[in-house]
Each structure stands twice: as structure tokens, then as C-alpha cells.
Amino acid sequence: MLFTRKIDPRCAYCKHGEVLDEHQVICAKKGIVSPSGFCRRFSYEPLKRIPPKPMVPHFNQFTEADFDL
């Protein structure tokens, strides 16, 4: 599941915030704030959230014997 019900509130994906750059978010309620901050007016906007990329498997740790039946 990419989007769970329990998310950490962050200004980066709040309905009231717009990302300026990687270090600043402009909030309609608070002004310029940190993307990792939040306030009591936080309202989750799921389309603004970018889920983390899945981990790339490292197949170099396996040998041919691992794949024999």
C-alpha cells in the first residue's frame, strides 16, 4: 500500500502549502516555513505527496547455486 492512513504531517504535502524549493514551502496560513514542519491547520493533500522510491534489489550478493532447484 503506497498511501497509508497514518502519515506524518508535513507542510510539503499540506493543502495550504506550495513548495518553493527543497528547503522552503510557502503556506497560506503561516508564510514561509520548512517542508518538514506542520501546524494545527494541516490538511492532507494526497496528490502532493511523492512516495519514496522502492529499494533496488542487489542481485550481486547471490550465486548461481542460489537459483538451482
Side-chain angles (χ1 to χ4, degrees):
M1 213 168 133
L2 289 177
F3 299 104
T4 62
R5 291 195 177 269
K6 288 191 171 194
I7 59 154
D8 294 327
R10 296 188 184 274
C11 292
Y13 42 84
C14 176
K15 179 173 74 171
H16 304 291
E18 291 293 326
V19 177
L20 294 176
D21 59 22
E22 64 183 38
H23 301 292
Q24 294 180 336
V25 173
I26 187 159
C27 177
K29 306 294 181 183
K30 296 284 186 177
I32 296 178
V33 294
S34 168
S36 61
F38 68 96
C39 67
R40 64 186 177 107
R41 295 181 186 261
F42 174 77
S43 179
Y44 181 55
E45 181 67 38
L47 296 178
K48 288 186 178 182
R49 182 168 175 254
I50 300 171
K53 292 183 180 181
M55 289 180 42
V56 177
H58 298 287
F59 292 115
N60 58 357
Q61 65 187 3
F62 299 111
T63 63
E64 286 290 327
D66 293 327
F67 296 101
D68 288 339
L69 293 177

